[in-house]
Amino acid sequence: MKKTLSLIIMAVVAVAVSARDDRRELMQLWYDRPATQWLEALPVGNSHMGAMVYGGTTDETIQLNEETFWSGGPHQNNSTRSLGRLAEVRNLIFNGKEEEAAKLINQDFIVGPHGMRFLPMGHLRMKMDGNDKATDYQRNLQLDRAVAETHFKIDGVNYTRTVFASMTSKVLVVRLTADRKGAINMTATLDAPFDYTTKADGKQITMSVKGCKQEGIDAALTAECVAEIRTDGKVVEKCLNDSCNTANALHVEKASEVTMLLSAATNFVNYHDVSGNAAKRNNEWLNAAEALTYNQLLEQHEKEWKRQFGNVKLTLDADSNALLPTDQRLLHFAESKDMAMVALMFHYGRYLLIASSQEGGQAANLQGVWNDNTHAPWDSKYTININTEMNYWPAEVTNLRSTVGPLFSLIKDLSVTGTTTAKQMYGCRGWMAHHNTDIWRIAGPIDGAQWGMFPNGGAWLTTHLWQHYLYTGNKDFLKQWYPVIKGAAEFYLDYLQPMPGTTWRVAVPSVSPEQGPTGKHTAVTAGCTMDNQIAFDALSNAIQASEVLAIDEPLRQEMKKMRDLLPPMHVGRYAQLQEWLIDADDPHNEHRHISHLYGLYPSNQISPFSHPELFRAAANTLHQRGDMATGWSLGWKVNFWARMLDGNHAFRIIRNMLHLLPSDKLAAQYPEGRTYPNLFDAHPPFQIDGNFGVTAGVAEMLIQSHDGAVHLLPALPDDWTKGSINGLCARGGFEVDMTWNNHQLTQATIHSTIGGMLRLRSAVPLKGKKLRKAKGQCPNMLYAPAVIAKPIVAKRIDEGVDANIPSVYEYDIMTQPGQVVTITAK
């Protein structure tokens, strides 16, 4: 009888899960209690402002950020001594004296400052009169609307608080309503963790927050935040302490609805200009918002949000756990079949990127646009030896080109400051940046030789420009950005040096982030694998861009000659892809950086079809490095295993990421915790790149277009029995919708935006109008595979684990702009 009853209950739950609106399982984070810490609060943002909503009842806190509020002021950190010591450092490295070279680098190359930090601006606090015994509580974040809501009941009155960062009006909107007339009596205040002043005047509170000096760089920025109240009740100025001379709070009496508009700004104009007028900006933005009703503000916000967010949707199966509050759903994910939780994480990554990166704003930093820490981990800077790039991995493939403008703006700025760095520090043409930068666009090295002696940050960033061209085929864009792409490649023409005893040219000094070979006590080296891979991409992209634009023939030939002198990749004694030119990998090393697999992802230099030796070596490296790591590293590993065409292993990494970490204080009790209650990624501590990495990884499991074809469902896990995806993008200007069942593709609809040859790759045979079997190499260069040198393979001691190279079907169809191609499985 018990068993029968249990089956009936399970059946009822299953029907409820399948029958309800999918917003909760796919598009909503929700909780049955208020947040008690920042990592439980819910993020809203419009790039310009970020806010963390705690969802309190009588006491509400909304933590605020303004994207340009950073410590320090305009400065650069280039060494004037490095060029004079460069030859000596190179000689020491070539003679095996890397530790001595590192000492010179620390002394004469890395002179500081070491980058400024992203600052929290303050808090909006709202306190309601009366008791705090609330019932019927729920708070949520609706990803498809970018709206956070809090619902509760006190003394028979239903209250709803709605928060959104307007995508069209630059302001944060907070609205509190009650279903009993005159039931709202509340006080609103602003405060900050730094020196600040507040003044209440009429229906506005204005807060001014002083910036911070750091490492000898004086504070050049001041933030101003203005909160304005609209209500059907009465607004009274208040002084909340005995010492204040002017009112510093606003009290609302007997209201049924209260709407607050918050605007924030600093005097930042750009990385070398701080002459802006924060008060003027706030006045303009508030005046524009004041001309609209609340419903108009919400309607315009939702329309713009859905334009960006609504073009992609992933659907996967849910189980009864999908009915749980999000933190509980995460806690029980490991033993569930709640694949819709993966879809939620996928959508959440897209949500966070839209909310933290919009045209005209700053690029998403190490924490997006959200930070409550006066000294954020790693200053919440732009770490450009992986983390900043990872932030934007989902942008092209998940149809978020609206978010890339701030990244491109950062690259443009660095191409200016980095030109000085290249010339002054290394005597090189072109431009470069090391492993970190900030809002002031420093390009010199920071922290120490072990981390900072990385000359490839600028070149890696420019690959995003080239990829944008591959996805869009936009020659006007390529022409505009060609000087930046060319400049990154020109740097290598001078920086690469002959390696003694070989015909190779190598980057020296350099590091493979952030470790050295076995037996070495420093990461400083010459010609590590990642150097050669990034230099290959930088030179190749510039070569191909000049060919497309039919310009710079002499320079193109110089670049081709230099590219041919790069060392090939090496396969070592443990059948691994070597991280360095010497065979010194430790097969038991599980370091979070797997930098030498850059060639597998995000680059396309390692292919199962054209480079099987490298493909197998990459598989061995991944097995040796293990399946657990910090949060962002797991995000990278999802993409690695997707490129290995191993969906089950990629999903295993996702499962490893979806382990709850309730808070940093409980890290010892949750050693495998990699996701916080609000689904922020845990390094730990919080870094947002892991969120973006897993979103890109899920997309990479469903579509790939880097290796000579548009590969449909290349890495579908067994657990994703059926599902659908709409709106993913492929190189060549294609947008793809797919459905699958019983682990196999059932139908795909491909929209060709620019025309051209479409080559499809699939694990199952396909049929469709005018589809023909492919022959030879695909003529569409927008997704052509990389042409690289044959690898050097050592005599192997251990053959390692072989990689699966699948049999596939390939088809061609010539498309016209606007054409829609529908194919099905045979």
Side-chain angles (χ1 to χ4, degrees), residues 770-783:
K770 295 186 179 180
L771 207 62
R772 58 181 174 80
K773 289 186 177 180
K775 293 182 180 179
Q777 183 170 328
C778 180
N780 193 334
M781 61 82 62
L782 293 175
Y783 45 90

Side-chain angles (χ1 to χ4, degrees), residues 10 78 85 124 190 192 198 378 381 414 455 509 529 568 611 633 668 680 684 700 725 736 824:
M10 289 175 65
N78 301 315
R85 306 304 294 269
L124 168 67
L190 293 170
T198 56
W378 301 281
K381 295 194 293 285
L414 279 177
T529 298
H611 316 119
S633 181
F680 274 171
E700 203 70 21
I725 182 72
V736 181
T824 58

Side-chain angles (χ1 to χ4, degrees), residues 223-249:
E224 181 188 272
C225 181
V226 182
E228 178 174 299
I229 290 180
R230 299 176 179 176
T231 181
D232 61 353
K234 182 180 180 182
V235 180
V236 180
E237 298 172 8
K238 290 189 69 174
C239 189
L240 291 187
N241 55 67
D242 294 336
S243 61
C244 66
N245 296 318
T246 57
N248 56 10

